[in-house]
Amino acid sequence: MAVPALRHYLLLLAQEHLEFRLPEITSLLSLYGGQFSGEQEIHVNSPFWILNIPSEEMARGLMKRTVCAKSIFELWGHGKSMGDLFASLMNYPMDKMLPYLQADSTYKVHIHTFNKTLTQAQKIEKIDALEFLPFKGKVNLKNPEHIFWILEDYGMNPNNVPEEPLYVYFGRWIADGQRELIESYSVKKRHFIGNTSMDACLSFIMANHGRVKPNDVVYDPFVGTGGLLISSAHFGAYVCGTDIDYNTIHGLGKASRKNQKWRGPDENIRANLRQYGLEKYYLDALVSDSSRPIWRKGMLFDAIITDPPYGIREATRRTGSQKETVKSAEKRYTEEIIPRHPCLKLISNCEQMLSSHTSRRLITMEKVKEFKDQDANSYLLDGQYMPYRGHNSFREKYFSGVTKRIAKEEKDNQK
């Protein structure tokens, strides 16, 4: 069976959550039956990636899911200078260009620059330089059938912007990503929130890392207010969760929102999914301690996506003797302390910085074999890694500063 020829596409990415972008795109390509080839031009921190994808259909499928990428283009030419770009365009097969350059079509050319702003006159000059291309249609700036982009990369250093771009691309716009989901699902607008509700962008990234798809069953063992259930349900999965906090599961107690003392009668996870028209995907949420087994043996879930109680990236400074401080500082994060299990294969490990001395990690694993009785104790790590397994020490260290600040404020108020 013949393998379809790979076509070159240019991906324009958002410059945030840089470590999460490659695993998201990799996961989504595999979800649609694609994969990274050995010729991919990926510069991890750059906003421009060249992908080799078998079809435009797959490119569109990718953009229906990604929140890390802004747009994708069929790449017609690229180079380190305008001269290189023109030479590349001259070598692009004419039969692939002509369907989009017909006399009965409309088009426009858009200029996008990274790390530099051009004047309108400079933009027009660059567009006019493309007159050697056989455009036969009419220009329509408001509603064109085809949109072509010139994209220029002026490097990553805002304090040292070159006069000429370091790299130039030209392509036909195919589709935009799902960046608008970040705003439409914003926690600020959500009916039911908690102090640690996962922000919308990371929720969708996590669902994409987990390759959540329609009719999957997705479980969150630390469900909280259900932020991760919402992103999974948006992609058509049926969702459920557990949490040890009775008040959170039932929407009772003090509210987390400013200027609101108590939660209302309809502040709960179900109401959150109803807010977005996703209630039909909600199975249920149970009060449960995740450290104790409650599920029968066998296949239950297609994906488990969660934000568990935090570990620590590296030891924070302790209150105590100098000897204790030095001992604690020696224990730093290493790849060897990543959770592991013989039934699971590590797919990606991404870091999100929280402060100068703390961070959290998004770890994605794939099940590669069925669980057997001899695997029951495989989650236990060597004793040397025990300091990293408990989240209580992180909690105590983190909140000790908060407690001191509150005590100081109360003391100041009494003066």
Side-chain angles (χ1 to χ4, degrees), residues 2-155:
V3 177
L6 296 177
R7 303 176 69 177
H8 295 310
Y9 292 85
L10 179 69
L11 197 63
L12 174 62
L13 297 118
Q15 287 300 98
E16 65 173 339
H17 300 307
L18 300 187
E19 282 200 23
F20 297 178
R21 301 185 308 179
L22 185 56
E24 190 211 43
I25 300 303
T26 302
S27 295
L28 293 178
L29 283 177
S30 66
L31 184 63
Y32 289 99
Q35 61 181 6
F36 274 91
S37 74
E39 300 176 356
Q40 306 287 96
E41 293 190 23
I42 300 298
H43 303 284
V44 176
N45 291 334
S46 171
F48 303 106
W49 293 357
I50 296 178
L51 303 183
N52 302 320
I53 302 177
S55 68
E56 184 172 315
E57 181 183 5
M58 185 179 291
R60 291 183 182 276
L62 172 66
M63 302 312 286
K64 287 179 181 177
R65 291 287 302 256
T66 177
V67 291
C68 288
K70 294 181 176 181
S71 305
I72 196 166
F73 311 88
E74 181 183 62
L75 188 60
W76 287 14
H78 59 103
K80 294 183 177 180
S81 66
M82 293 304 289
D84 289 345
L85 172 64
F86 297 158
S88 180
L89 286 171
M90 295 294 287
N91 289 326
Y92 192 75
M94 188 58 64
D95 61 314
K96 293 183 179 180
M97 285 188 181
L98 288 179
Y100 309 102
L101 306 178
Q102 297 300 310
D104 58 351
S105 66
T106 57
Y107 73 96
K108 76 171 182 180
V109 179
H110 181 82
I111 304 281
H112 175 85
T113 55
F114 178 74
N115 198 29
K116 189 170 185 175
T117 301
L118 300 181
T119 66
Q120 189 63 23
Q122 289 173 318
K123 292 180 179 180
I124 292 174
E125 181 181 355
K126 291 177 183 293
I127 293 173
D128 289 343
L130 295 172
E131 61 183 3
F132 65 91
L133 292 176
F135 289 106
K136 296 179 181 178
K138 293 182 180 179
V139 174
N140 184 331
L141 299 180
K142 291 186 177 181
N143 189 29
E145 292 178 62
H146 310 298
I147 305 175
F148 302 95
W149 283 48
I150 300 173
L151 302 103
E152 297 186 339
D153 184 0
Y154 286 87

